[in-house]
Amino acid sequence: MAEGDAVTESQPAGSLADARNSLKHPGGEGGPSDTGEVGGPATKRQKLDHDKTETDQEHRQSSPKERVDGVAPVKAEYLISNGDDGEAPRNEVDNGAMVASVATGEPAGDSRASPVGSNKKWKNRKKENGQNQNRSYGHFEDKLRLCTSVTYSNEFSPKPCKFGERCKLCHDLRKYLREGRRDDLDTLGGKCPIFEKYGRCVSGWKCRFVKSHSKEVERGDGRKELILLQAPDVPASTEDPDQRPGIVNVATSDNKWDLARRKVPFEKSELYIKWLEKETELTGKLCNRKKKGEEELEDADVEELRAQFVDPPLKPSEKRKIYFGRETPVLAPLTTQGNLPFRRLCVELGAQVTYSEMAMGMPLVQGQKGEWALMKAHESELAPPRYSPGKDAVVKGYDNARDLKFGAQISGNQPWVVMKATEALTRFVPHLRVVDLNCGCPIDLVYKTGAGSGLLDTPSKLEKMVRGMNVVSGEVPITAKLRIGVRDEKQTASRLIERLALGGRDTRDRLGAPGCAAITLHGRSRQQRYTKKANWSYIAECAALIKSYKNMADELTDTARGPDESTQANTADGKVYFIGNGDCYSHVDYLDHVDNSGVDTVMIARGAMVKPWIFEEIEKGQYLDKSASERLGYIEKFVRYGLEAWGTDELGLGFTRRFLLEWLSFTHRYVPLGILEHLPPSLNDRPPRYRGRNDLETLLASDHYKDWIKISEMFLGPTHPGFQFQPKHKSNGYEIDAEG
Ligand SMILES: Cc1cc2nc3c(=O)[nH]c(=O)nc-3n(C[C@H](O)[C@H](O)[C@H](O)COP(=O)(O)O)c2cc1C
Ligand SMILES: [Zn+2]
Ligand SMILES: [Zn+2]
């Protein structure tokens, strides 16, 4: 874990020479220092034709001593006033309401967030693009595509090509190296990070650092052969791009193929769904009668209907117990941003619980590769979360050694979809802490089908889903993530929580609790998105409710048809863990919520993207004023982790760059503590224009996408020809479409 400076030791504004030094690659090799000018280009860039709003002007003119709501209190010496121009990146661009616009993909309700095109256009684009569409980056491929029969072999011993004569790919290694690919990179010291770490490289000749693990040798007959190096005692690289060191939870191609061909029997789901259909039909009849107000309905009729209900055909298996507590800050599920390398970085910095990006239930059931790829995790996510024995918040039978950090999050609009997805996940993916049901995703395409936040208005369906998932998930507990409600004025979460903890009024006695092991509540409504602060007093009310259910659960178990303890997640102790979520930006926020809101722990989303060392702050209980070079060090780590996960070939590099740029579109919003007039910093504050304590800090504050590309080039070299990047403030069509 990197050492941070306590805020009291914040550095003085650095000289230009310091800045140049800090611009060097943190590892001391290669990097941007060849230009030494990385901070410079920002100053030269053309101005954005961008309307400044009234409020921008006002903020900039206001005295730095006054605290202006929503504006980060940057010390006067770092402020750039109007007219004092040309020296700093335009970090004013788009910053107004940026949290809203960046995080939600919604137009932020003022012109700043949509300088190009109208909201209407934005909406249309969104429709055209569909769910989970990200900005287009162009194709990143080699000019000549090298056949895998050649990729992993020495020059004179290629493997036989499966396609023989028909193969259109390149089989001439020397030609490929000469004209089929871009030159080797000299970033990262010119050394392949994978080879350095693991003694083998999974990208073979396609590696953009292949020079560092290949050579030409002279054979006895005088012929020269190009060979790939491999450390002794290291198993040979495979051709399977899924087999990467340190990566777990890889579903096999066979599994996905079988799903796609509907060859996977969903025994548990099918059986349960049949029962559920009958159950739903009977419930419908009962309700209809009640609705019609058939007073003449005889007790006997009701009794007769009731008698037709039968017990479910399957009981849930005993669940692995989990734990959430003060020592387990949670990294939120984050579409796109919560990718494997980012989570790995957060775990290294102290995140104790992680989630996959939200996977859609249907494509999982259909075996779609992209969705299953979201389940890949890093082995560091398999370690148990931190836990101090002796805690009273632990459920009976909790075994920390069996616990792990990584859980899956899924969405779906029908019980059968999420049940089958859960059954498939728990069968084909070996390491899951939980399967979490997304009941918060606000985007239209999800909401309108009834999934995501659509479930907030269909409590009975939600209950069926969780109950069903719990039946088919084997030992893996089921959890749910909610928002306060769909609309601001209608707060439904508390009722949903009651249902998830105890069951609906008509099911609780008969069927027991649905078996939800934990509930996360994001303290905002769907309608509200990020426009207002999260409602922590409502979160606290819900926390109190959950506590009170423990007693109710105790009473229930005294009744004749109480829940069967062994089959319910954590019910032996009547404990449903409760996690609060929204606006946590420091250890101070974190501890405040844990101590005063009654939540077991806090989930962190944007705070972790803007400053991933928030987890380290929580662990140390202190603000950390990370220097710009430390921050660049995290970026380098991300890059290395990205290359490990996606490969060092052109494709892997492209992915790494793409996800890095997405992340950098958040990191620039970090305002270094040392330049703040006073604490605490707030996630919702936007910075006025400022310059950093050195050029690198100034660069990292730039919200100009060209600077983000520049940063990516420090580690990944020049962008691929044809590389496209639409900055968010230029393309309102881009944006994270899915969040909950
Ligand atoms: C870019 C982005 C992607 C998100 N993706 C998901 C997601 O896939 N699933 C989910 O449940 N929530 C998602 N969320 C919501 C967050 O998990 C979290 O509930 C929300 O941002 C509030 O927390 P915060 O105030 O700490 O940011 C996303 C949020 C953002 C900003
Ligand atoms: Zn071939
Ligand atoms: Zn390599």
Side-chain angles (χ1 to χ4, degrees):
M1 192 172 290
E3 285 296 304
D5 309 323
V7 67
T8 45
E9 298 160 8
S10 68
Q11 311 141 341
S15 67
L16 204 64
D18 291 346
R20 292 254 155 83
N21 282 338
S22 64
L23 285 175
K24 284 209 183 102
H25 188 264
E29 312 141 321
S33 46
D34 8 335
T35 68
E37 286 285 302
V38 181
T43 67
K44 293 177 197 132
R45 228 146 267 138
Q46 78 279 25
K47 276 193 178 312
L48 271 184
D49 49 345
H50 196 288
D51 293 340
K52 292 190 181 83
T53 61
E54 284 286 306
T55 34
D56 268 338
Q57 306 283 1
E58 278 161 23
H59 290 326
R60 235 162 277 135
Q61 281 154 13
S62 64
S63 147
K65 297 272 179 218
E66 286 166 34
R67 180 130 209 180
V68 183
D69 211 22
V71 181
V74 170
K75 285 180 186 158
E77 65 257 46
Y78 298 106
L79 287 175
I80 296 170
S81 60
N82 282 338
D84 173 10
D85 216 339
E87 279 301 309
R90 285 151 301 276
N91 66 359
E92 84 282 18
V93 177
D94 208 13
N95 274 342
M98 67 194 172
V99 175
S101 63
V102 171
T104 63
E106 285 190 288
D110 70 20
S111 60
R112 281 168 300 187
S114 47
V116 185
S118 63
N119 287 355
K120 192 163 154 253
K121 185 169 165 199
W122 179 86
K123 276 183 187 142
N124 289 342
R125 283 266 324 252
K126 191 166 169 184
K127 273 211 182 94
E128 284 159 25
N129 288 344
Q131 145 83 7
N132 275 350
Q133 280 292 325
N134 295 302
R135 31 186 157 199
S136 160
Y137 290 80
H139 290 285
F140 14 85
E141 276 166 7
D142 288 330
K143 228 191 271 163
L144 290 177
R145 289 172 61 206
L146 190 66
C147 179
T148 34
S149 63
V150 178
T151 306
Y152 305 96
S153 317
N154 292 338
E155 188 181 7
F156 296 160
S157 43
K159 300 202 180 75
C161 173
K162 274 191 272 185
F163 301 96
E165 296 285 277
R166 284 177 299 131
C167 185
K168 293 212 169 62
L169 306 185
C170 177
H171 294 87
D172 181 342
L173 179 60
R174 286 190 189 255
K175 182 173 179 205
Y176 166 78
L177 292 175
R178 219 173 33 242
E179 53 195 76
R181 50 168 273 152
R182 295 199 287 163
D183 286 344
D184 264 39
L185 283 171
D186 53 11
T187 57
L188 303 175
K191 298 208 176 97
C192 171
I194 317 300
F195 185 79
E196 272 197 317
K197 189 155 172 190
Y198 299 102
R200 67 185 174 107
C201 173
V202 288
S203 300
W205 291 108
K206 289 186 186 171
C207 175
R208 289 288 308 283
F209 301 89
V210 72
K211 258 197 296 199
S212 68
H213 52 75
S214 64
K215 65 177 178 187
E216 193 173 51
V217 293
E218 193 164 326
R219 296 298 177 202
D221 58 3
R223 289 196 306 159
K224 291 193 170 149
E225 179 178 19
L226 289 168
I227 61 162
L228 283 170
L229 302 179
Q230 172 124 350
D233 310 327
V234 173
S237 292
T238 69
E239 295 164 24
D240 184 351
D242 282 341
Q243 300 304 319
R244 299 193 188 278
I247 311 290
V248 297
N249 279 354
V250 185
T252 67
S253 308
D254 285 350
N255 296 155
K256 285 172 264 184
W257 186 232
D258 288 347
L259 283 166
R261 288 181 309 167
R262 301 182 177 213
K263 287 272 157 57
V264 174
F266 290 100
E267 292 110 352
K268 289 191 272 186
S269 298
E270 304 278 8
L271 200 61
Y272 191 86
I273 288 161
K274 231 180 240 152
W275 168 83
L276 190 59
E277 277 164 7
K278 180 92 185 133
E279 165 96 1
T280 308
E281 190 191 313
L282 284 170
T283 318
K285 277 188 194 160
L286 260 180
C287 284
N288 266 345
R289 295 222 181 159
K290 277 188 205 152
K291 261 197 214 132
K292 276 190 209 149
E294 289 178 19
E295 261 120 56
E296 67 275 21
L297 186 70
E298 298 294 326
D299 276 358
D301 285 354
V302 176
E303 273 319 299
E304 195 199 307
L305 266 178
R306 286 201 193 284
Q308 291 178 37
F309 281 100
V310 292
D311 283 348
L314 286 169
K315 276 187 175 181
S317 323
E318 191 165 342
K319 302 294 166 188
R320 190 185 334 107
K321 306 290 187 264
I322 52 173
Y323 170 73
F324 288 94
R326 191 187 179 84
E327 62 278 62
T328 66
V330 176
L331 174 64
L334 291 165
T335 294
T336 310
Q337 313 284 340
N339 51 68
L340 184 150
F342 179 72
R343 299 195 310 266
R344 180 174 172 190
L345 180 67
C346 288
V347 165
E348 197 175 318
L349 289 169
Q352 298 300 315
V353 177
T354 58
Y355 291 89
S356 72
E357 297 174 48
M358 180 183 85
M360 315 264 279
M362 196 60 132
L364 282 175
V365 175
Q366 293 166 339
Q368 287 183 24
K369 266 198 214 160
E371 228 63 16
W372 282 89
L374 299 176
M375 296 303 136
K376 290 184 193 172
H378 185 253
E379 61 190 3
S380 61
E381 297 180 277
L382 303 189
R386 197 184 302 136
Y387 163 64
S388 336
K391 292 269 163 187
D392 53 5
V394 70
V395 292
K396 209 158 61 191
Y398 177 66
D399 179 359
N400 183 246
R402 288 185 66 216
D403 201 356
L404 63 157
K405 296 189 173 70
F406 178 77
Q409 190 189 55
I410 64 168
S411 69
N413 63 348
Q414 291 301 330
W416 72 265
V417 174
V418 292
M419 284 175 68
K420 287 190 174 178
T422 304
E423 190 171 352
L425 279 179
T426 49
R427 188 185 305 176
F428 298 140
V429 173
H431 309 287
L432 292 180
R433 177 179 214 236
V434 300
V435 176
D436 184 66
L437 180 63
N438 180 309
C439 316
C441 180
I443 75 156
D444 277 358
L445 274 160
V446 173
Y447 171 74
K448 283 189 179 147
T449 64
S453 55
L455 294 171
L456 299 172
D457 276 343
T458 50
S460 150
K461 180 156 84 177
L462 173 59
E463 180 185 340
K464 283 177 189 150
M465 284 181 163
V466 170
R467 212 179 264 290
M469 288 164 73
N470 199 43
V471 164
V472 300
S473 69
E475 65 158 14
V476 181
I478 303 302
T479 60
K481 178 164 178 272
L482 313 175
R483 277 180 184 251
I484 285 183
V486 171
R487 282 160 300 275
D488 281 348
E489 64 284 358
K490 202 172 149 217
Q491 304 181 322
T492 47
S494 58
R495 280 195 296 129
L496 296 172
I497 288 170
E498 179 182 333
R499 256 198 194 250
L500 290 177
L502 305 169
R505 297 197 184 271
D506 46 346
T507 50
R508 105 175 32 159
D509 290 346
R510 202 156 49 81
L511 303 171
C516 190
I519 296 170
T520 304
L521 179 58
H522 173 194
R524 290 189 180 84
S525 68
R526 168 177 191 262
Q527 185 182 34
Q528 176 185 347
R529 303 264 172 127
Y530 289 84
T531 50
K532 282 185 238 141
K533 286 194 175 158
N535 186 343
W536 274 92
S537 58
Y538 185 73
I539 295 177
E541 276 173 39
C542 291
L545 268 181
I546 290 210
K547 289 223 166 89
S548 73
Y549 295 151
K550 180 171 163 29
N551 306 331
M552 281 168 84
D554 288 346
E555 279 164 30
L556 266 178
T557 40
D558 293 340
T559 65
R561 292 295 307 259
D564 180 342
E565 281 194 1
S566 73
T567 62
Q568 298 293 331
N570 299 337
T571 28
D573 303 63
K575 171 93 189 162
V576 177
Y577 284 105
F578 188 56
I579 300 111
N581 167 233
D583 299 339
C584 178
Y585 193 47
S586 68
H587 62 294
V588 176
D589 294 336
Y590 180 86
L591 293 174
D592 175 35
H593 297 322
V594 172
D595 289 340
N596 303 317
S597 304
V599 294
D600 291 298
T601 188
V602 177
M603 175 184 277
I604 305 166
R606 290 163 305 152
M609 290 190 290
V610 174
K611 57 166 205 190
W613 59 93
I614 185 174
F615 297 108
E616 192 187 346
E617 288 188 341
I618 290 169
E619 194 176 328
K620 295 193 169 142
Q622 112 190 91
Y623 285 116
L624 299 170
D625 185 12
K626 297 283 180 182
S627 67
S629 46
E630 278 176 297
R631 288 166 61 203
L632 194 66
Y634 296 136
I635 294 172
E636 177 182 349
K637 275 199 169 160
F638 176 90
V639 167
R640 287 178 180 270
Y641 297 166
L643 295 176
E644 280 186 37
W646 295 310
T648 41
D649 56 356
E650 200 64 80
L651 200 67
L653 237 68
F655 274 118
T656 306
R657 190 189 313 271
R658 188 202 133 178
F659 285 104
L660 172 62
L661 290 171
E662 298 285 356
W663 181 35
L664 294 178
S665 76
F666 281 90
T667 54
H668 70 88
R669 290 191 266 140
Y670 174 69
V671 185
L673 286 176
I675 71 165
L676 285 179
E677 193 76 61
H678 36 79
L679 301 175
S682 159
L683 186 56
N684 298 312
D685 280 358
R686 62 196 168 88
R689 288 184 74 197
Y690 72 93
R691 75 173 62 78
R693 290 166 290 187
N694 54 43
D695 282 0
L696 180 60
E697 199 162 72
T698 307
L699 175 70
L700 292 177
S702 170
D703 69 352
H704 199 294
Y705 73 98
K706 287 193 180 166
D707 287 322
W708 308 341
I709 291 179
K710 195 108 221 155
I711 294 168
S712 83
E713 290 182 336
M714 294 179 186
F715 305 106
L716 296 166
T719 54
H720 193 273
F723 179 84
Q724 294 158 12
F725 183 76
Q726 282 287 310
K728 62 183 178 298
H729 48 276
K730 291 227 161 175
S731 151
N732 299 303
Y734 153 71
E735 270 318 335
I736 301 309
D737 275 336
E739 19 79 30

